Amino acid sequence: MGKVPIAYIEIGVFAHATEDEEKVLEAARALIPKEHLENVTFKKRRLKGDYGNPITFFKTKIRDIQVIEGIVENLSLNLSQDDKERVLREFDLRLDRGSLYIRLDKQSALKKNLRLCRSDPLHIKIRFKEDLEAVRRLIKESAKLGYRLVGVTLPKDVKPEEVESLKDYCKSEGVVRRRFEIVAVECNTKDVARQAAKDRRVDLLSFTSPEPGGRFFDAAEAELVSGALSALEVDMAPLLVLSGASRVRLLSSLRREVFIAEKFGVPIVLSSGASERLLLRKPREYMALAGLFDMNLEAARLALSETPLSIVKRNRRKLGPSYVAPGVYVVRRGGDCPDT
């Protein structure tokens, strides 16, 4: 098998109170080659459902290339031809921020028979390695749609010359960016969310899970954020990709989160979340889409334009030569102080 351009694969699954946790784990492990099972550990987290019912969430992140290749081969061999064709047809819709999302039926996985489903599935996230050429295409498309400011996510180990190349490309496309200075934290656990909310270096709090049990922006989180400088990021891409009950649950979560953010005065930033140009929309289209989770047009306009711009301006000032400490700037430079 050739080298797979995948950074990691995440497997997650919810076990409800009426389900046998071991059976649920067995379904998740069905994706992993037997020879690698002992090297893969699932983390366990206790959650509560909408009505207080106990839910257990199991999750693992796999970076070992041999295990990744085994999982990809397993999917290739055991998904039906119809399901594989469906994934290909929906590829652009399933791709979000460089990750491919696939949902598999738990009961079928127990029988070693993999098939796609939407209701209460095994969640598979395949994270591809960064493709800077794809980033350039997104920048170009964003400029065509009228955006003058673009934020892109890059890996921590990105080479400085690649960053400079993208900065030059932004300038050539008329997208104004001097540096990549936004700090966003993907809050996949409550502990991460709470810590990020207290950290004044964090600009955006991002809650990417489409399921209510994986989102942690509540009143306690908002109260912490209100004392810092962070904003709540709302990723719009899943609203274009999800359908049925999953989309309904996400909209319900977003309505609650937007209500809490507005109550505590937490700024909101609307983000395209696009990893492909087909997921990009014009600003006014995003404003209209925000109405689905009860944001009025003016609030959506602020979240799409003025709020992110104010964050960028604030950070650019911090990165400037006159910045000393929070609230302290060099106003004028002169020579040495005279002797007294």
Side-chain angles (χ1 to χ4, degrees):
M1 180 182 293
K3 188 175 181 181
V4 181
I6 294 173
Y8 61 82
I9 292 179
E10 283 185 3
I11 302 173
V13 63
F14 291 93
H16 299 276
T18 55
E19 294 180 301
D20 185 329
E21 290 186 1
E22 284 304 315
K23 289 289 185 182
V24 171
L25 266 179
E26 186 181 340
R29 292 187 180 116
L31 292 166
I32 302 165
K34 290 182 179 179
E35 62 270 25
H36 296 294
L37 275 175
E38 62 182 22
N39 299 322
V40 177
T41 303
F42 281 82
K43 293 183 179 179
K44 181 177 181 179
R45 192 164 79 242
R46 299 291 186 184
L47 306 170
K48 285 188 177 181
D50 292 338
Y51 301 100
N53 50 303
I55 298 174
T56 304
F57 182 59
F58 295 99
K59 181 180 177 181
T60 187
K61 180 183 285 189
I62 300 163
R63 295 183 181 275
D64 187 296
I65 189 62
Q66 290 184 327
V67 184
I68 288 173
E69 288 179 348
I71 293 173
V72 172
E73 186 174 11
N74 192 3
L75 289 169
S76 176
L77 292 175
N78 293 301
L79 274 177
S80 69
Q81 188 61 32
D82 286 345
D83 276 348
K84 284 188 278 191
E85 289 177 0
R86 180 180 166 190
V87 170
L88 288 175
R89 285 197 309 271
E90 300 174 352
F91 192 85
D92 287 335
L93 297 177
R94 292 174 177 271
L95 196 66
D96 179 31
R97 296 189 179 189
S99 297
L100 179 68
Y101 293 86
I102 298 174
R103 296 176 177 84
L104 301 176
D105 184 80
K106 284 194 294 192
Q107 298 303 319
S108 296
L110 269 173
K111 302 172 184 176
K112 314 300 181 186
N113 177 27
L114 305 183
R115 68 180 182 87
L116 299 179
C117 79
R118 291 182 177 177
S119 177
D120 191 26
L122 289 171
H123 298 267
I124 316 298
K125 175 182 176 181
I126 301 175
R127 176 67 179 183
F128 295 105
K129 293 178 180 177
E130 296 291 341
D131 178 359
L132 295 185
E133 187 55 41
V135 175
R136 290 188 179 92
R137 290 195 294 270
L138 278 174
I139 292 170
K140 187 178 184 70
E141 189 67 21
S142 298
K144 287 181 180 178
L145 291 174
Y147 291 96
R148 305 298 297 169
L149 192 72
V150 174
V152 296
T153 56
L154 294 170
K156 291 185 291 185
D157 57 352
V158 65
K159 297 177 181 178
E161 57 268 26
E162 292 175 335
V163 175
E164 292 301 320
S165 172
L166 283 178
K167 286 161 62 177
D168 292 339
Y169 190 77
C170 284
K171 293 175 184 176
S172 70
E173 292 297 328
V175 180
V176 182
R177 282 308 303 265
R178 186 173 66 85
R179 298 185 185 182
F180 298 96
E181 68 278 88
I182 297 291
V183 176
V185 174
E186 191 171 312
C187 302
N188 290 323
T189 68
K190 182 175 284 189
D191 289 341
V192 170
R194 294 294 190 258
Q195 188 59 42
K198 294 183 288 186
D199 195 330
R200 295 176 67 87
R201 296 169 298 179
V202 174
D203 299 304
L204 297 177
L205 299 176
S206 180
F207 299 86
T208 57
S209 173
E211 299 297 330
R215 304 179 71 90
F216 308 100
F217 189 81
D218 51 19
E221 180 83 359
E223 190 170 4
L224 288 172
V225 176
S226 64
L229 298 172
S230 302
L232 171 66
E233 181 183 18
V234 175
D235 186 351
M236 304 296 277
L239 294 177
L240 303 176
V241 176
L242 296 176
S243 61
S246 296
R247 193 168 189 258
V248 171
R249 288 195 295 270
L250 177 58
L251 284 171
S252 177
S253 295
L254 289 175
R255 289 189 191 100
R256 178 178 57 82
E257 290 167 6
V258 166
F259 174 80
I260 292 172
E262 291 177 343
K263 179 179 178 180
F264 284 86
V266 176
I268 298 172
V269 170
L270 295 183
S271 167
S272 73
S275 56
E276 291 289 333
R277 64 182 186 84
L278 292 176
L279 289 176
L280 282 172
R281 296 294 184 271
K282 293 180 179 179
R284 288 188 179 276
E285 292 173 347
Y286 282 127
M287 289 166 60
L289 195 59
L292 293 175
F293 46 88
D294 297 341
M295 282 191 82
N296 60 51
L297 285 176
E298 178 59 18
R301 185 189 68 80
L302 291 174
L304 195 62
S305 57
E306 293 187 19
T307 300
L309 181 60
S310 67
I311 294 173
V312 171
K313 286 182 176 179
R314 180 185 71 210
N315 287 351
R316 284 180 175 172
R317 193 178 182 199
K318 285 182 180 180
L319 291 169
S322 62
Y323 178 78
V324 178
V328 181
Y329 295 86
V330 175
V331 177
R332 181 170 58 85
R333 297 180 185 274
D336 294 335
C337 295
D339 295 332
T340 56

